[in-house]
Amino acid sequence: MEGVKKVRSACRSCHGGCGVIIHVKDGKVVKVEGDPDSPISHGSLCSKGLAITQLAYHPERILHPMKKVDGKWERITWEEALSLISEKFKEVIRNYGPESIVIGQGTGRDYESHLYRFANLLGTPNVLTAGHMCYVSRIGATLITCGNLPVCDYEGEPKCIVIWANNLLWSNPDEYKGENFWRAYKKGSKLIVVDPRKGFLADKADIWLKLRPGTDGALAFGFLNIIIKEKLFDEDFVEKYIHGWSEFVKRVEEYPLERVESITGVEKGLIAEAARLYATTKPACIQWGVPIEQNINCTDNNRLLTALMAVTGNLDVPGGNVFFVPPPVRTVSEFALHKELSPEQRKKRLGAKEYPLADRVALVTPKVVWDAILTGKPYPIKAMLLCGTNPVITRANAAEVYRALKAVEFLAVIDFFLTPTAELGDVFLPAATWLEQNYVGDFWKRHGYVVARQKAVEIGECWQDHKIFQELGKKMGQDKWWDTVEDSLNYMLEPSGLTWEEFKEKGYLKGEMVYRKHEQRGFSTPTGKVELYSTILERWGRDPLPRYREVPESPLSRPDLLERYPYILNAGLRIPVYFHSANRMVPWLREIRPDPIVEIHPETARKHGIKEGQWVALSSPRGTVKQRARLNDGIDPQVIVAEHGWWFPEIRDPGHGWDVSNINILTDNDPAGYDPVMGATNLRVLLCRISPIEKEEMV
Amino acid sequence: MNRRSLIVFQEDCMGCHACEVACKQEHNLEVGPRLIRVVEKPPRYFSIYCHHCARPLCAESCPNTAIVRDANGIVRVKEDLCIGCKSCLEACPFGAMQYHEGKEVAVKCDLCYHRLLNNDLPACVSVCPTRSIFFGDAGDIREEIVSRIIP
């Protein structure tokens, strides 16, 4: 096309990272394409990234700051918006202390750097993210076990890949994208899939382990049992690098295969076969997803999978689970200035005593915030600033989240659209999409790359999130900021010897990989070994060994509920065209997936007279929502699998149908169901019932 | 240019719909016509797309000769000749022919002809994460089928 300028950049429609070429004509983005030279995505690009122009130029996108006056949104200037927020924050600090302000974000996005820097300089220890049950929980658990997050080394050509509770071809597996897995798989690697549902990968697997939802920890014990009993472990590694082996073995022996079979519902012969295939095929890696983290066993599940990698000698070897070496740039943790937060303020972190691992990784679990807002205990939360998050849709017990956000005295929201969460706010700040920003992308990740995200256009008065935190920080009188975002990027890149201008020409940086780092310097734990027996958990007065706990609402733990709620709900089925609660307003994507889908077994459908495509009511002890039934014989008849993240931008009232199909109306956030050290919320497994909706009174 | 077409290896399609959105973007299409479409029947996914038949029934059915197979083997709609009668939609054995409500004409895959002129792959092929869509001439396609079926 005539007059088209091409800008090489990096997507961030999910967590980000895929290489893109942005086509700009007359100051407007007309197209995006995959970048064939990207080391992360090799030219492929998903529907979410490809539809970015429809999101960025959406007629309902908010392109200027706003404040709410008498229940109505009014356009204001950035100057007024920042003044409103900073004046309110100063008042809260004067009257209650900075800890009464909560700064929050949703899914992992790389503005974490600037968000945490702002919060730490503000002096609040209360940063609310999704990390308590997604990814950061994995980092925390592996940090205390083996010093770092072990990531599948697809480029190292694993010969056996275990996909444990992850649909990585649709969702973003946080580090590498599914495309890299696929390349490794197509080279002929064996495939083991752990999933209650027969998805695309389970259908292809050499072994599919169809477990009862929520029993992953028990299944991992089953693997370990076989590996230890049949001496399939790497004796040399165990002897040199495992701390607490004999205690660990004793714990594993508490889970003989018969017990594991009765808990998981997976036939014991198949478990043994899978364990043998994983332990004897070298190298092998385990790719895991958030379902194992979004429940009561979060930390121990992560620790058990790490144990599998360690005892089979697959830790930090080519094609195993490795610790990628980051490129020489400042770390997100250094940039975030965690050391600026005083010990006195840190001690005030909500839930720090109850959830020491969450405290260790500097975040809070949501319910402590809702409780502090609604009860004023242990101290009141008076103001919030939320960036790129829609907790009314995405956090457990949505009704309580809605009540709390409605009740909080002051709420400022950074987003693209007036989401159900943003509608509850007092000030709205319009964020730039990834088309409109300069950034060292992916620098919070652990895959060994940073990628240049380049600004192609500016739209309206939108600011990139990083700039919002920087300018608000300056307004608050914080002196550790720069004149421009690019100055902060220069600081970030300094150790590499590159400026932002030089880096963006280069496109990306890769760390120089070294394997088997433990042979030189051990593991970064207190004992220098892989702590299957955790000295840190012991110091915290917790069980130093992993164990399996039954989720609080299952057929085994609550047989009394079965009569009213006979089915096991597996919530949070991923959707390829959406990312959590995002994108429902994008026409190209909504055309593909217009309605929320719940999968049920054909036998269940027959029993209740439900037809394919019919709207059904799903109920738990917390409430009822509606979704559309799809029949799938690849799940157990007692299991029901439902999508998450649903609201309806086309419903005009400010609630935008937040409680119509939102699966978190059904989930529970009772702390009894939390991971005991991380505070991970159960977003996945609960009991439910289903019934057809006869008249389609739907949206 | 040799006569070329594309083929979707269904066993490798994992249902992400990237091809659909890439196609929409490339052809500037709003909601409605879907020149390639992935039908979900988990755990399997099936694509509906134009095969650029050697004897295209869509062209044969057209009362106004608005559909032609050009010298490169690409079956294309001449929009100015299309009278919007939808005969081709009925005739296509693959369900690939689409109708554009706004323009009141039939629309279909043109293999991203404008991209081919720049030696770029069709948009759908270029983005597919599992490389399940293959583009080439009849010989290439035959060889690809053989190599994918016989490991």
Side-chain angles (χ1 to χ4, degrees), chain A residues 121-171:
Chain A
L121 291 173
L122 194 70
T124 180
N126 294 321
V127 174
L128 176 64
T129 77
H132 63 294
M133 48 73 182
C134 174
Y135 187 66
V136 186
S137 44
R138 194 176 313 179
I139 290 181
T142 53
L143 215 60
I144 61 170
T145 306
C146 61
N148 198 351
L149 176 69
V151 179
C152 268
D153 178 25
Y154 292 122
E155 287 173 9
E157 300 192 11
K159 297 284 180 289
C160 173
I161 303 171
V162 184
I163 302 289
W164 202 303
N166 194 205
N167 184 355
L168 78 167
L169 290 171
W170 279 11
S171 64

Side-chain angles (χ1 to χ4, degrees), chain A residues 232-268:
Chain A
L232 302 178
F233 56 87
D234 182 330
E235 290 187 45
D236 184 51
F237 185 94
V238 165
E239 194 183 314
K240 282 190 189 140
Y241 298 112
I242 298 286
H243 177 72
W245 178 243
S246 58
E247 293 91 335
F248 183 74
V249 168
K250 243 184 239 153
R251 178 60 61 88
V252 172
E253 282 166 357
E254 290 175 27
Y255 297 87
L257 278 198
E258 292 69 25
R259 185 177 172 205
V260 171
E261 177 178 304
S262 76
I263 295 171
T264 61
V266 184
E267 193 264 314
K268 61 182 183 186

Side-chain angles (χ1 to χ4, degrees), chain A residues 51-304:
Chain A
I52 187 62
T53 50
Q54 283 204 332
L55 184 138
Y57 296 108
H58 197 285
E60 278 157 29
R61 183 174 166 206
I62 309 294
L63 303 178
H64 45 74
M66 300 194 296
K67 68 173 173 185
K68 208 185 263 161
V69 183
D70 300 327
K72 288 226 162 28
W73 288 106
E74 268 181 20
R75 178 173 182 167
I76 54 172
T77 62
W78 273 105
E79 173 58 31
E80 185 181 352
L82 297 182
S83 296
L84 274 172
I85 298 170
S86 68
E87 288 313 312
K88 184 67 195 179
F89 280 9
K90 284 175 190 165
E91 177 199 315
V92 171
I93 291 169
R94 267 196 313 276
N95 297 335
Y96 302 93
E99 63 276 14
S100 286
I101 302 168
V102 167
I103 310 298
Q105 74 171 78
T107 193
R109 289 261 162 81
D110 48 25
Y111 42 73
E112 176 191 331
S113 53
H114 288 62
L115 182 147
Y116 264 106
R117 191 176 178 99
F118 174 76
N120 285 327
L121 291 173
L122 194 70
T124 180
N126 294 321
V127 174
L128 176 64
T129 77
H132 63 294
M133 48 73 182
C134 174
Y135 187 66
V136 186
S137 44
R138 194 176 313 179
I139 290 181
T142 53
L143 215 60
I144 61 170
T145 306
C146 61
N148 198 351
L149 176 69
V151 179
C152 268
D153 178 25
Y154 292 122
E155 287 173 9
E157 300 192 11
K159 297 284 180 289
C160 173
I161 303 171
V162 184
I163 302 289
W164 202 303
N166 194 205
N167 184 355
L168 78 167
L169 290 171
W170 279 11
S171 64
N172 178 323
D174 291 316
E175 307 297 351
Y176 275 116
K177 305 296 178 287
E179 197 249 0
N180 294 275
F181 150 75
W182 186 255
R183 289 152 77 95
Y185 166 69
K186 285 302 251 188
K187 285 184 180 149
S189 98
K190 296 284 179 198
L191 185 62
I192 300 169
V193 171
V194 178
D195 200 322
R197 169 182 179 268
K198 191 199 255 185
F200 176 76
L201 289 178
D203 190 42
K204 291 216 173 306
D206 295 283
I207 300 176
W208 171 34
L209 302 170
K210 183 185 175 186
L211 78 177
R212 178 166 66 89
T215 62
D216 305 78
L219 186 65
F221 271 120
F223 270 59
L224 285 157
N225 210 296
I226 286 291
I227 289 168
I228 291 168
K229 207 162 78 187
E230 299 184 2
K231 292 205 181 318
L232 302 178
F233 56 87
D234 182 330
E235 290 187 45
D236 184 51
F237 185 94
V238 165
E239 194 183 314
K240 282 190 189 140
Y241 298 112
I242 298 286
H243 177 72
W245 178 243
S246 58
E247 293 91 335
F248 183 74
V249 168
K250 243 184 239 153
R251 178 60 61 88
V252 172
E253 282 166 357
E254 290 175 27
Y255 297 87
L257 278 198
E258 292 69 25
R259 185 177 172 205
V260 171
E261 177 178 304
S262 76
I263 295 171
T264 61
V266 184
E267 193 264 314
K268 61 182 183 186
L270 200 60
I271 301 172
E273 203 188 317
R276 289 180 197 124
L277 182 62
Y278 170 66
T280 59
T281 315
K282 295 286 163 63
C285 72
I286 302 177
Q287 167 80 50
W288 77 106
V290 290
I292 69 160
E293 295 176 71
Q294 298 179 336
N295 74 38
I296 193 167
N297 295 305
C298 174
T299 303
D300 284 348
N301 284 347
N302 285 326
R303 281 172 42 70
L304 284 163

Side-chain angles (χ1 to χ4, degrees), chain A residues 31-33 42-45 50 169-170 179 182 186 197-200 203-204 576 588 591-593 630, chain B residues 11-15 17-18 20 24-26 29-30 32 40 42-45 115 126-127 129-131:
Chain A
K31 184 162 92 175
V32 293
E33 287 187 293
H42 309 98
S44 66
L45 197 60
L50 286 161
L169 290 171
W170 279 11
E179 197 249 0
W182 186 255
K186 285 302 251 188
R197 169 182 179 268
K198 191 199 255 185
F200 176 76
D203 190 42
K204 291 216 173 306
W588 284 335
E591 181 180 27
I592 291 166
R593 286 296 194 94
R630 179 159 77 189
Chain B
E11 67 276 16
D12 285 352
C13 173
M14 48 79 175
H17 301 273
E20 289 191 45
K24 289 263 192 187
Q25 177 180 242
E26 196 65 40
L29 290 169
E30 288 297 323
E40 303 190 4
R44 305 272 170 85
Y45 300 89
R115 290 175 63 98
S126 76
V127 297
T130 56
R131 310 292 177 208

Side-chain angles (χ1 to χ4, degrees), chain A residues 87 128 143 160 216 219 316 329 391 451 513 517 539 554 573 586 630 656 661:
Chain A
E87 288 313 312
L128 176 64
L143 215 60
C160 173
D216 305 78
L219 186 65
D316 216 19
V329 298
V451 293
M513 186 57 185
K517 295 177 275 296
R539 200 171 72 222
S554 80
L573 178 62
V586 177
R630 179 159 77 189
H656 302 296
S661 296

Side-chain angles (χ1 to χ4, degrees), chain A residues 255-500:
Chain A
Y255 297 87
L257 278 198
E258 292 69 25
R259 185 177 172 205
V260 171
E261 177 178 304
S262 76
I263 295 171
T264 61
V266 184
E267 193 264 314
K268 61 182 183 186
L270 200 60
I271 301 172
E273 203 188 317
R276 289 180 197 124
L277 182 62
Y278 170 66
T280 59
T281 315
K282 295 286 163 63
C285 72
I286 302 177
Q287 167 80 50
W288 77 106
V290 290
I292 69 160
E293 295 176 71
Q294 298 179 336
N295 74 38
I296 193 167
N297 295 305
C298 174
T299 303
D300 284 348
N301 284 347
N302 285 326
R303 281 172 42 70
L304 284 163
L305 295 193
T306 309
L308 279 169
M309 300 162 199
V311 304
T312 54
N314 279 306
L315 219 44
D316 216 19
V317 299
N321 282 85
V322 304
F323 310 119
F324 283 112
V325 178
V329 298
R330 287 205 158 79
T331 65
V332 67
S333 157
E334 185 186 352
F335 188 94
L337 292 179
H338 288 297
K339 290 194 176 112
E340 290 281 323
L341 188 69
S342 69
E344 299 74 50
Q345 281 309 105
R346 184 176 160 175
K347 259 190 217 128
K348 294 180 192 162
R349 181 171 289 136
L350 291 169
K353 229 176 99 208
E354 295 89 335
Y355 311 113
L357 190 55
D359 180 46
R360 174 85 175 238
V361 288
L363 54 81
V364 301
T365 186
K367 188 168 170 57
V368 293
V369 176
W370 318 143
D371 284 348
I373 293 170
L374 294 169
T375 69
K377 285 178 185 149
Y379 51 81
I381 293 297
K382 290 289 173 184
M384 294 180 85
L385 171 61
L386 298 179
C387 180
T389 184
N390 194 359
V392 164
I393 306 298
T394 52
R395 298 292 170 265
N397 192 357
E400 185 180 85
V401 180
Y402 197 83
R403 266 201 315 281
L405 290 179
K406 221 173 160 172
V408 71
E409 202 172 284
F410 180 83
L411 173 63
V413 174
I414 302 169
D415 213 315
F416 307 138
F417 296 94
L418 282 172
T419 65
T421 296
E423 293 275 16
L424 296 173
D426 301 289
V427 175
F428 182 94
L429 304 177
T433 68
W434 54 265
L435 297 172
E436 308 150 54
Q437 57 178 268
N438 287 325
Y439 203 65
V440 181
D442 272 27
F443 99 122
W444 58 289
K445 289 192 187 173
R446 292 170 192 242
H447 56 24
Y449 292 96
V450 288
V451 293
R453 182 175 308 124
Q454 289 197 59
K455 186 187 282 194
V457 290
E458 288 183 349
I459 300 177
E461 294 176 14
C462 301
W463 283 4
Q464 72 183 81
D465 324 270
H466 319 87
K467 178 172 173 179
I468 298 175
F469 288 110
Q470 171 162 293
E471 295 308 313
L472 187 60
K474 287 194 264 187
K475 197 90 188 158
M476 293 291 302
Q478 300 173 358
D479 59 4
K480 292 192 166 66
W481 292 101
W482 295 263
D483 288 342
T484 65
V485 169
E486 291 70 26
D487 291 337
S488 74
L489 304 186
N490 285 335
Y491 170 75
M492 224 174 246
L493 289 162
E494 202 175 45
S496 71
L498 296 177
T499 63
W500 163 250

